[in-house]
Amino acid sequence: MANIKHHLTDEILMGYSAGSLPEAFNLMVAAHVSLCDECRARLAAFDSVGGAVLDETCADAAPMKDDALAATLALIAGGPMDGAAPAPRKPGVLPKPLQDYIGGDLEAIRWRSAGLGVKQAILQTSPDASARLLLIPAGAAMPDHGHGGLEMTMVLQGAFVDDGERFGRGDVEIATEDLDHTPVADIGEDCICLAVTDAPLKFKSLLPRIAQPFLRI
Amino acid sequence: MTSNEQTARNDWLDQIERVRDHRDQAAFAELFGYFAPRIKGFLMKSGSDATLAEECAQDVMATLWHKAHLFDPARASVATWIFTIARNRKIDLLRKQKRPEPEDLPWGPEAEPAQDDVLALQQESEQLRQALTRLPAAQRELIERAYFGDLSHSEIAAETGLPLGTIKSRIRLALDRLRHEMK
């Protein structure tokens, strides 16, 4: 298991457990928890809170219809709804939830240039937030940008340094509106990250700002 | 309702086992009587209408029947397991989104979980349930809303008129208190 130092927040884990996050954020949580035993245990604790809320607070809630049990037994007699077992994870860099979105490991990613040697691949999620993979060449910087909302970036391969902090495989950097940051990829190898955001990134120099709607980053 | 409440203090493991091993409809009916209305209420508080919530609660209980062999009492209480099935169904049905799930941990050497682990997990779940009931009303309500309401913290802020900072700190306090009680 990777030596992960930068974890998900309580708010994000609780949102995942409650089912109130956009799909792109759920993907980030599923990918991180696949790599991080600590957050897996914390998530189990939040699920237990959900179980306790279900158990405790709905005691006199909505009664079922009179024929509900019979209807459910009839449903059961029809067999399970979801048939096929999920495909096993292929060996590689990407955690299973990401492989499911991409249809394979790194070799299946369809990169597009995002300028300055940076490449990206946008993942298909619900439109309330976006998820993409980023490839930053070893030693190169991400374009300077601020944020309109919440952005989380998790390293999948290589590492980056931002503001003196090092982020390696499985580490998540959480950036909010007030943070201007410039992650720089570690010199060792190209850095591949999963980045999710609930708002379009704002670039500071004129050119990327004009280009932004076209690049969708 | 006393008998129902006493069963509730039970951990439902016996019923799940009877469903799993013997396809026992009487055991299933007990689980159904307790959990189905709670699932329905959970979904209605999440914004579903009664018809959809009823249908969905039936789906969740049918899933419980089919997947009883996947339930691991060393990892979750029955209520927690049902909560996760209901939540996933809610995302499917109400939000029409895919639900990315973490990769499952590789199976250990023993197929049956150790009884000590099962007992410890089930006791902790019961402690947590009790701790939740002892939270101050304002904190408990925010925790419930976060789980039932399908609302992010900022949406709760907009709806209750409470500043976002207050909501976040109340939820943090509630979680701290739950953690303290679980020590």
Side-chain angles (χ1 to χ4, degrees):
Chain A
M1 198 56 56
N3 180 22
I4 295 170
K5 291 193 202 66
H6 299 88
H7 296 275
L8 298 169
T9 61
D10 278 349
E11 186 177 349
I12 292 291
L13 282 170
M14 190 170 167
Y16 181 84
S17 176
S20 55
L21 299 181
E23 183 181 345
F25 284 25
N26 282 340
L27 180 58
M28 170 62 80
V29 174
H32 178 77
V33 167
S34 296
L35 300 176
C36 179
D37 285 345
E38 184 180 326
C39 288
R40 187 187 288 271
R42 288 168 66 210
L43 177 59
F46 280 111
D47 285 348
S48 306
V49 176
V53 169
L54 178 75
D55 197 347
E56 190 48 42
T57 42
C58 283
D60 48 359
M64 297 290 284
K65 287 185 186 157
D66 292 342
D67 65 346
L69 177 59
T72 305
L73 288 169
L75 194 63
I76 286 168
M81 284 166 291
D82 46 330
R89 178 176 181 271
K90 296 175 186 165
V93 169
L94 303 178
K96 176 79 167 62
L98 278 171
Q99 289 194 351
D100 291 344
Y101 273 74
I102 287 152
D105 201 58
L106 297 185
E107 77 288 340
I109 303 174
R110 280 181 295 176
W111 294 110
R112 300 265 188 279
S113 172
L116 304 170
V118 175
K119 292 182 195 166
Q120 66 169 340
I122 294 168
L123 306 178
Q124 225 26 252
T125 60
S126 62
D128 44 356
S130 66
R132 64 201 195 283
L133 294 166
L134 288 171
L135 186 150
I136 310 163
M142 270 277 284
D144 196 11
H145 62 284
H147 303 265
L150 176 66
E151 187 192 45
M152 293 186 281
T153 309
M154 180 170 77
V155 176
L156 297 162
Q157 173 192 291
F160 67 76
V161 177
D162 195 2
D163 250 351
E165 292 247 42
R166 189 176 191 279
F167 295 80
R169 177 169 165 85
D171 280 324
V172 182
E173 180 174 57
I174 298 173
T176 47
E177 311 193 9
D178 28 347
L179 183 74
D180 274 353
H181 67 155
T182 311
V184 177
D186 211 35
I187 201 73
E189 64 181 320
D190 292 351
C191 178
I192 296 177
C193 302
L194 170 67
V196 301
T197 178
D198 57 2
L201 304 191
K202 293 179 284 195
F203 283 90
K204 282 178 146 183
S205 68
L206 186 61
L207 184 66
R209 196 184 309 146
I210 293 170
Q212 198 175 329
F214 302 102
L215 296 174
R216 295 220 287 146
I217 100 169
Chain B
M1 293 313 285
T2 330
S3 69
N4 215 1
E5 287 309 304
Q6 274 164 1
T7 327
R9 297 300 164 264
N10 252 321
D11 49 20
W12 300 103
L13 294 184
D14 178 48
Q15 283 86 346
I16 290 274
E17 225 168 78
R18 276 154 55 202
V19 168
R20 183 191 67 192
D21 297 340
H22 307 295
R23 313 267 84 179
D24 181 334
Q25 294 199 356
F28 182 74
E30 286 179 53
L31 288 161
F32 192 93
Y34 185 82
F35 284 108
R38 285 171 166 81
I39 300 165
K40 185 175 177 181
F42 167 76
L43 293 163
M44 288 176 68
K45 287 187 182 178
S46 301
S48 162
D49 65 41
T51 311
L52 186 62
E54 168 92 21
E55 197 179 305
C56 194
Q58 293 184 18
D59 281 358
V60 170
M61 293 307 294
T63 303
L64 173 145
W65 174 282
H66 291 303
K67 296 200 167 166
H69 62 287
L70 294 177
F71 172 65
D72 180 352
R75 271 161 66 170
S77 71
V78 174
T80 296
W81 187 54
I82 292 176
F83 162 74
T84 59
I85 297 173
R87 172 204 59 204
N88 292 357
R89 203 79 189 103
K90 174 177 96 173
I91 294 172
D92 275 0
L93 274 182
L94 299 187
R95 311 182 73 199
K96 311 217 184 305
Q97 288 183 9
K98 263 204 286 186
R99 165 80 180 181
E101 293 280 344
E103 188 167 350
D104 247 337
L105 289 175
W107 290 103
E110 70 268 64
E112 283 289 314
Q115 277 312 304
D116 290 358
D117 294 345
V118 172
L119 193 64
L121 188 283
Q122 299 298 323
Q123 278 174 353
E124 277 178 19
S125 302
E126 174 56 17
Q127 271 174 25
L128 179 65
R129 191 192 62 76
Q130 288 176 12
L132 185 72
T133 65
R134 287 196 297 267
L135 282 181
Q139 288 176 16
R140 181 176 160 184
E141 196 197 321
L142 284 177
I143 295 266
E144 287 171 1
R145 292 186 68 123
Y147 278 90
F148 283 136
D150 199 18
L151 293 174
S152 71
H153 295 174
S154 44
E155 286 166 316
I156 296 176
E159 219 184 72
T160 57
L162 288 172
L164 185 57
T166 307
I167 291 187
K168 285 189 177 179
S169 63
R170 268 192 202 164
I171 288 179
R172 199 157 44 232
L173 274 175
L175 293 175
D176 285 349
R177 192 180 285 240
L178 291 179
R179 282 185 185 118
H180 180 76
E181 294 223 22
M182 296 306 291
K183 268 180 191 155

